[in-house]
Amino acid sequence: MARHLFTSESVTEGHPDKVCDQISDAVLDSILEQDKNAHVACEVTATTGVVHVMGEISTDCYVDIAEIARKVINDIGYDNQKCGFNGNTCAVLTSIDAQSPDIAMGVNESYELKDGEDDVNNTIGAGDQGMMFGYACDETPELMPMPISLAHKLAKQLTKVRKDGTLPYLRPDGKTQVTVEYDDNKITGIDTVVVSTQHDEDITLEQIRKDLIEYVIKPVIPEHLLNDSTKIFVNPTGRFVIGGPVGDSGLTGRKIIVDTYGGFSRHGGGAFSGKDPTKVDRSAAYYSRYIAKNIVAAGLAKKCEIQLAYAIGVAKPVSVMVDTFGTSKYTNEQLAKAVEKVFDCRPNSIISQLKLKETKYLPLAAYGHMGREELGVEWEKTNKTEDLKKALA
């Protein structure tokens, strides 16, 4: 490709949709701590003064959903009326049913097991039909696309300077956006940076702009990628006092592009938060990232996209696709065959390999589920590189 621009966005943990994602995953974490085999599909919506937790949960344990929701909201920073939303006083409604027995039939006992294929990894089937994509490229140390990597880092820095008191006038809601310039698929610079942050009423836009450039943008954006033509927009509307669930209603699963690759890769449409790992929306998306990252880490391609697709109740994927966009000396078919030799894509195997019943999901519910090497999650490890090379030998 000739010169082109690509943009990705991120949001802070105080964004209304991310408030809901975090509550959903906090409920999931609390249940899995007591019941590793629970089936959880928990969704949340939030608006002025109200949080509604709903979904299907099958478990023998008890968790105080209202207390969990309030703790998440307060930890984010919505703990006083000044921000318009207060975890101490908002209403928390719950509408929880058990998982449908029709769905449980396929999840608890796979099609293969019913057909006589007695294998430990055939014990459960996929929790739903669907397709999941994973992606990796060599643009950053964590093998993520640079636009989303920088957008996440800006969002995390925005939260850091709010919480550590560097910029005490900031409030929890915020959004970031980075536009990277490419020439022949090589990064040549940063074209545009956008940071929008909720703030106290008595702070001037000039002060916010000065502080955010100094304490948020400069510490994150590599200096060599900035140039005289780089455009920086800070709170371009001029005012962002009303935010969070008061400024806009929130809903679990509405930030799926922020959660993954910032639009750099295709997306199957399934959200992650609030879903236990039998749901392939979550587990297979993590596993496809694991496969793609190992292919790139092994030097087999400069970028790689993986698609896994499933039928509900069936353990084995109905298809496995590899696309390296012409950046590998191997054909996509050769790599797909190597993937099938090295990686077991059945849900029970994925859960075991990636330790998904032991994973804490709340930390993943903001700032992305992919590229999070600092959290030590299994799908970011590159421990299959040598196996892939041998499979191709």
Side-chain angles (χ1 to χ4, degrees):
M1 293 178 70
R3 179 187 178 277
H4 67 282
L5 304 175
F6 195 92
T7 302
S8 294
E9 71 159 350
S10 183
V11 298
T12 66
E13 60 199 54
H15 185 281
D17 293 331
K18 277 292 151 200
V19 170
C20 296
D21 284 342
Q22 289 166 93
I23 294 171
S24 293
D25 274 333
V27 171
L28 174 65
D29 283 348
S30 295
I31 292 172
L32 291 180
E33 280 178 11
Q34 301 179 59
D35 181 3
K36 299 293 185 190
N37 297 313
H39 292 302
V40 181
C42 174
E43 299 187 19
V44 177
T45 186
T47 189
T48 306
V50 181
V51 169
H52 189 182
V53 184
M54 66 200 92
E56 295 76 45
I57 299 175
S58 294
T59 181
D60 294 330
C61 74
Y62 171 77
V63 297
D64 189 332
I65 289 176
E67 181 182 346
I68 292 167
R70 293 185 191 285
K71 184 177 187 312
V72 169
I73 294 164
N74 287 332
D75 287 349
I76 289 168
Y78 291 119
D79 56 0
N80 63 79
Q81 217 52 47
K82 182 177 73 170
C83 293
F85 195 76
N86 188 342
N88 298 303
T89 59
C90 68
V92 181
L93 310 177
T94 59
S95 303
I96 304 294
D97 292 312
Q99 183 185 48
S100 161
D102 294 346
I103 295 174
M105 285 174 59
V107 177
N108 296 339
E109 188 176 337
S110 74
Y111 174 87
E112 289 90 340
L113 194 63
K114 293 172 186 173
D115 204 36
E117 294 184 40
D118 191 8
D119 182 310
V120 65
N121 287 321
N122 285 335
T123 52
I124 65 171
D128 201 353
Q129 71 173 46
M131 63 284 190
M132 299 82 213
F133 290 93
Y135 184 81
C137 62
D138 62 1
E139 291 184 7
T140 61
E142 69 273 25
L143 303 185
M144 286 286 286
M146 183 170 281
I148 189 65
S149 177
L150 291 178
H152 282 325
K153 288 174 181 175
L154 285 171
K156 284 199 276 188
Q157 182 69 7
L158 190 56
T159 296
K160 178 181 180 295
V161 297
R162 170 176 65 88
K163 288 189 166 182
D164 69 14
T166 301
L167 301 179
Y169 59 81
L170 297 182
R171 293 180 180 178
D173 198 357
K175 302 180 82 170
T176 63
Q177 188 171 283
V178 177
T179 301
V180 175
E181 180 180 357
Y182 294 83
D183 193 352
D184 195 25
N185 283 321
K186 293 176 182 167
I187 294 167
T188 57
I190 303 298
D191 182 83
T192 308
V193 177
V194 184
V195 180
S196 295
T197 180
Q198 189 185 12
H199 58 86
D200 288 350
E201 194 162 5
D202 57 351
I203 302 298
T204 66
L205 178 60
E206 291 73 22
Q207 184 67 48
I208 296 169
R209 178 179 171 82
K210 175 177 174 292
D211 287 344
L212 263 60
I213 290 173
E214 183 65 28
Y215 296 107
V216 176
I217 295 172
K218 284 185 177 179
V220 168
I221 304 295
E223 190 176 356
H224 71 277
L225 293 177
L226 297 171
N227 54 58
D228 292 341
S229 61
T230 299
K231 299 177 285 294
I232 295 177
F233 296 102
V234 174
N235 282 19
T237 65
R239 177 181 166 90
F240 189 176
V241 173
I242 300 169
V246 177
D248 192 9
S249 61
L251 181 65
T252 297
R254 201 155 52 183
K255 284 289 175 282
I256 57 177
I257 300 303
V258 172
D259 286 342
T260 51
Y261 308 99
F264 225 85
S265 168
R266 285 172 282 195
H267 198 294
F272 304 150
S273 290
K275 297 178 181 178
D276 75 80
T278 65
K279 277 75 172 173
V280 284
D281 278 345
R282 172 166 237 155
S283 55
Y286 292 163
Y287 202 63
S288 56
R289 160 66 178 171
Y290 181 50
I291 297 169
K293 186 171 183 179
N294 273 273
I295 288 173
V296 174
L300 303 176
K302 291 179 68 64
K303 55 184 175 180
C304 178
E305 184 179 75
I306 302 291
Q307 186 201 52
L308 301 176
Y310 293 86
I312 187 169
V314 181
K316 294 174 185 175
V318 298
S319 70
V320 177
M321 182 277 292
V322 179
D323 190 351
T324 61
F325 308 95
T327 66
S328 175
K329 68 178 183 180
Y330 299 99
T331 66
N332 291 332
E333 184 180 10
Q334 287 174 312
L335 288 166
K337 287 179 179 178
V339 165
E340 291 183 18
K341 289 179 185 176
V342 173
F343 297 92
D344 186 343
C345 299
R346 290 173 292 178
N348 200 54
S349 178
I350 292 173
I351 290 167
S352 175
Q353 290 177 69
L354 300 186
K355 301 178 182 176
L356 295 181
K357 289 185 179 180
E358 289 74 47
T359 298
K360 294 297 181 187
Y361 294 104
L362 176 56
L364 293 157
Y367 315 113
H369 292 247
M370 312 303 175
R372 301 297 298 277
E373 293 181 346
E374 79 279 10
L375 297 178
V377 290
E378 295 294 318
W379 56 92
E380 290 302 320
K381 294 184 177 177
T382 54
N383 53 356
K384 296 290 187 180
T385 56
E386 293 305 314
D387 292 339
L388 281 167
K389 291 175 186 176
K390 288 176 186 175
L392 288 162

